Amino acid sequence: MALKHQESELGVRCLHADMILELDGYIHPSLSEKWEKFKTKLSIYLMPAEVEAASKNMSTAIQILRQKGLVRLGEYKNLRQIVGDIDDMTLPIIDNCTQQIAAIRANQDPTSPPGGQPLVHPVQEEGEPGQPDVIQPTGLQATPDQELLQVHEPEGGDNYLPDAAEIDFQGDAHLGAPGADAGPRGHDQGVNGGEGMANLEGTLGEEVKQVDLNRQTILESFMDIYKDESIVRKRLNVRFEGEMGLDTGGLTKDAFSTFWDKAFKEYFKGENSLVPFMPVSRFAEAQTVYPILGRILSHGVALTGTFPIRLSRCMLFTMINSNVTEDEESILKDVLLFLTPNERMLTRRGLTDFDNLTEREVNTLMDMFTRYSLGVQPRKETFRQNVVNLGGKELCAKGMMFTTWMKSGIPREHLEIFWNRLTMEELNHIYRKLEPTPPKVIDLLVASEQYIREEENQAFYFLTDFISSLNPEDLAHFLLFVTGSDVLPLERSINVVFSRTEGLRMHPVAHTCGNTLELPVGYSSSQELRRDFMAILNDPESYSMNIL
């Protein structure tokens, strides 16, 4: 009974957190007119100093309202009065959250699975944030964001290449640390003003399909489940075999991330920008496989609001439009990510400093051109166009048969209201928001405003040093471990709390519902932390939802 109560209350807190994220898409500091109205409404309930403190973001504002007793979990009358006159689209969000919380507390199943995060992440310990074996720095008060994240828990290899980081669209004003400088989430993501994404989600009905999965056979299971074309109108409630976890949305995200990780290895090629590929000997199989992959892709976007961003955006443009994009900059970005690390390094040098390439390096580039059936000699005056041509061929034209099959599996309604409306600019905008790089992930880390204890400061430094060293694949696994999804957690921080565990219990522990990482302070070097963390990220069992 205690575990059932914990799971129920966790579901309530996850619903509350996701309601905040949804509201943030409509009322946000970057939407200045709405935000000023929001602050005016807050002044009815709060003192001027409290209004100023609440002006950071929606999460902070609601946390302050909770501290004042004006908002409680599942009781949002005052919140409705504050936001309803500003944007009436916020009212269904609040009412839906209220109804689902009431259903959970009445021991009833909600009519549809709420969005959220899983119960608790892998490598679990008996302790939880706030218990005796986990400490906050002495004498410091947790920030409102930290407090919000903490209550989500149940109560009681190769270096990341700098050139890849540069092409991953760094510098977007809406990304980075959550707060007033970040852009609104969800409904303003650039696809026809967010209308297309919202419409795609609107194609989902009320029926919920129970999906029982084994992580080892998830590829085969998904491919079998999605033979049923009607599934695209259903919501999913995911349960992993032999694991504990309540699917309030996070397990569904986890399932899609895990599926695509395996599908990329079986049905695609490329380094960090992937395109569909199967050998000629498997073409008969491919005609069945790729329509199902298209169905999974579109349904996943509708359910989770995210893309499997290792897919080449130029390839997606070709799938949608049946031709090669004319955006040469996008082709260059994608092809550099498609190439192997060594090919990428030489190609970038050729693009920026061709005159200083050695004869051996030019010959290597010639070998690369030959491998990709580009029968030209690398020359300074034509090199950029050669690389663009290589990208157009490998990313778009060569796999057009596969992308045509993928598109055939996407429901017509999904094509009309979302996919056919995507431009290259909008695809870039979506990827820019979701694509992780080490600096972006580090910016999301939140520990304390200051570090009193040297050991905590040192442990935090070791963590940032570790993240800085991760290649794209390992960085995606890090995010999957901590947040339950392999893309950036929009408008949510990664909360770091410090623990004093020792011996076999001294290892990082993740709680995905609150995007919280327990970090032991006992590490003596970056190398020691790296060894522990890489052992976790390379162990498939680390991604199971087990409480040990």
Side-chain angles (χ1 to χ4, degrees):
M1 289 297 293
L3 179 58
K4 182 177 180 180
H5 173 73
Q6 286 182 345
E7 289 186 352
S8 296
E9 283 306 301
L10 179 60
V12 167
R13 296 180 191 281
C14 285
L15 284 167
H16 174 81
D18 284 314
M19 177 194 70
I20 293 173
L21 297 178
E22 290 296 320
L23 293 177
D24 209 36
Y26 291 97
I27 302 174
H28 189 275
S30 67
L31 306 172
S32 56
E33 184 176 347
K34 288 184 177 181
W35 194 250
E36 287 303 314
K37 290 180 180 178
F38 180 61
K39 289 165 63 177
T40 300
K41 288 281 190 177
L42 286 176
S43 67
I44 300 173
Y45 299 87
L46 303 177
M47 299 295 290
E50 294 170 331
V51 173
E52 185 64 29
S55 298
K56 180 182 177 184
N57 55 36
M58 180 65 70
S59 172
T60 304
I62 293 179
Q63 180 65 23
I64 291 174
L65 291 171
R66 286 187 64 195
Q67 291 171 350
K68 298 280 290 184
L70 296 166
V71 169
R72 292 183 174 87
L73 296 179
E75 299 177 17
Y76 303 116
K77 179 180 177 181
N78 291 328
L79 183 61
R80 285 183 98 261
Q81 292 178 347
I82 292 171
V83 303
D85 292 339
I86 301 173
D87 193 320
D88 57 12
M89 292 298 292
T90 60
L91 296 179
I93 295 172
I94 296 173
D95 293 343
N96 184 52
C97 179
T98 304
Q99 292 166 9
Q100 294 188 67
I101 288 176
I104 287 178
R105 287 178 170 168
N107 291 320
Q108 299 172 1
D109 291 330
T111 56
S112 61
Q117 298 294 335
L119 174 62
V120 129
H121 209 286
V123 194
Q124 293 295 332
E125 302 287 356
E126 293 177 359
E128 299 163 356
Q131 298 300 320
D133 62 336
V134 181
I135 58 162
Q136 289 285 355
T138 304
L140 293 178
Q141 183 177 358
T143 65
D145 284 340
Q146 286 177 309
E147 293 170 354
L148 181 63
L149 287 168
Q150 289 164 0
V151 297
H152 293 174
E153 299 295 336
E155 293 180 343
D158 292 327
N159 287 343
Y160 189 94
L161 296 172
D163 53 292
E166 290 179 23
I167 32 189
D168 283 347
F169 300 98
Q170 291 189 64
D172 184 74
H174 291 172
L175 285 174
D181 293 332
R185 176 188 181 272
H187 298 282
D188 289 316
Q189 290 192 349
V191 185
N192 303 299
E195 199 174 304
M197 187 80 79
N199 289 342
L200 192 60
E201 183 183 3
T203 64
L204 299 171
E206 296 300 319
E207 183 178 353
V208 179
K209 181 177 178 62
Q210 178 66 45
V211 179
D212 295 321
L213 299 170
N214 182 301
R215 290 182 184 273
Q216 302 307 313
T217 59
I218 193 172
L219 177 65
E220 296 80 4
S221 297
F222 253 60
M223 296 300 290
D224 185 59
I225 290 167
Y226 277 88
K227 289 177 182 176
D228 177 9
E229 297 183 9
S230 69
I231 195 173
V232 295
R233 289 196 158 274
K234 301 174 184 177
R235 301 176 186 272
L236 301 184
N237 186 53
V238 172
R239 183 169 53 208
F240 284 103
E241 181 182 312
E243 302 179 15
M244 298 183 66
L246 176 68
D247 188 8
T248 55
L251 285 179
T252 296
K253 288 183 179 180
D254 188 357
F256 277 95
S257 294
T258 304
F259 164 78
W260 282 112
D261 189 53
K262 293 182 180 296
F264 288 152
K265 297 171 184 175
E266 185 70 17
Y267 304 125
F268 294 82
K269 69 174 183 178
E271 196 72 23
N272 298 312
S273 182
L274 306 178
V275 297
F277 172 78
M278 289 179 74
V280 174
S281 60
R282 298 178 65 188
F283 266 24
E285 179 188 357
Q287 294 180 60
T288 302
V289 163
Y290 287 104
I292 294 176
L293 290 175
R295 194 172 301 132
I296 294 172
L297 172 65
S298 194
H299 193 217
V301 175
L303 286 171
T304 69
T306 62
F307 275 64
I309 57 174
R310 290 183 67 194
L311 290 176
S312 161
R313 71 206 82 194
C314 293
M315 179 275 292
L316 288 175
F317 180 90
T318 297
M319 180 188 77
I320 297 163
N321 298 282
S322 300
N323 57 43
V324 178
T325 177
E326 296 180 357
D327 184 347
E328 292 189 356
E329 290 302 318
S330 292
I331 292 177
L332 282 173
K333 291 182 175 79
D334 261 15
V335 76
L336 286 169
L337 291 169
F338 170 82
L339 298 172
T340 67
N342 185 58
E343 290 171 342
R344 181 188 307 146
M345 178 187 68
L346 283 177
T347 302
R348 283 185 62 83
R349 285 197 59 197
L351 290 169
T352 59
D353 193 19
F354 191 93
D355 287 336
N356 287 321
L357 289 174
T358 65
E359 181 179 353
R360 180 176 181 178
E361 289 170 335
V362 172
N363 288 336
T364 301
L365 287 171
M366 181 65 197
D367 291 341
M368 182 187 80
F369 280 2
T370 301
R371 184 166 84 86
Y372 291 113
S373 302
L374 196 68
V376 295
Q377 177 74 31
R379 293 188 175 87
K380 178 180 179 180
E381 57 273 14
T382 58
F383 188 72
R384 185 182 188 279
Q385 190 59 52
N386 292 156
V387 176
V388 170
N389 292 344
L390 188 156
K393 176 175 174 290
E394 292 295 325
L395 303 174
C396 307
K398 203 169 180 180
M400 197 170 291
M401 184 182 344
F402 299 123
T403 56
T404 300
W405 288 336
M406 280 185 70
K407 185 176 181 179
S408 72
I410 297 176
R412 180 180 297 275
E413 183 181 12
H414 287 202
L415 290 170
E416 291 175 351
I417 65 177
F418 180 69
W419 294 99
N420 289 346
R421 302 183 182 187
L422 281 177
T423 65
M424 197 68 232
E425 181 181 1
E426 288 160 349
L427 278 168
N428 282 336
H429 183 80
I430 292 170
Y431 273 56
R432 192 161 54 232
K433 280 187 167 291
L434 297 176
E435 209 154 27
T437 64
K440 290 179 184 178
V441 174
I442 290 171
D443 282 346
L444 293 175
L445 299 178
V446 175
S448 305
E449 294 182 3
Q450 54 185 324
Y451 307 104
I452 299 297
R453 298 177 179 175
E454 181 180 350
E455 58 192 0
E456 293 161 0
N457 193 17
Q458 177 175 270
F460 195 82
Y461 170 78
F462 290 161
L463 176 63
T464 59
D465 186 59
F466 167 69
I467 294 172
S468 297
S469 72
L470 295 178
N471 61 36
E473 184 175 2
D474 288 336
L475 188 65
H477 288 159
F478 173 84
L479 286 173
L480 183 61
F481 173 69
V482 177
T483 72
S485 178
D486 59 2
V487 297
L488 284 174
L490 297 178
E491 300 305 314
R492 295 189 71 181
S493 60
I494 296 174
N495 193 39
V496 180
V497 295
F498 301 102
S499 66
R500 295 188 178 283
T501 52
E502 298 178 350
L504 294 177
R505 290 171 58 87
M506 193 183 84
H507 51 69
V509 177
H511 304 264
T512 60
C513 182
N515 285 3
T516 299
L517 176 67
E518 292 181 27
L519 183 65
V521 298
Y523 289 110
S524 59
S525 67
S526 293
Q527 291 78 12
E528 186 181 8
L529 181 143
R530 179 180 178 81
R531 282 194 297 271
D532 271 8
F533 233 128
M534 289 307 300
I536 291 171
L537 299 185
N538 290 328
D539 182 2
E541 290 299 314
S542 296
Y543 305 93
S544 62
M545 303 293 159
N546 290 320
I547 302 178
L548 302 178

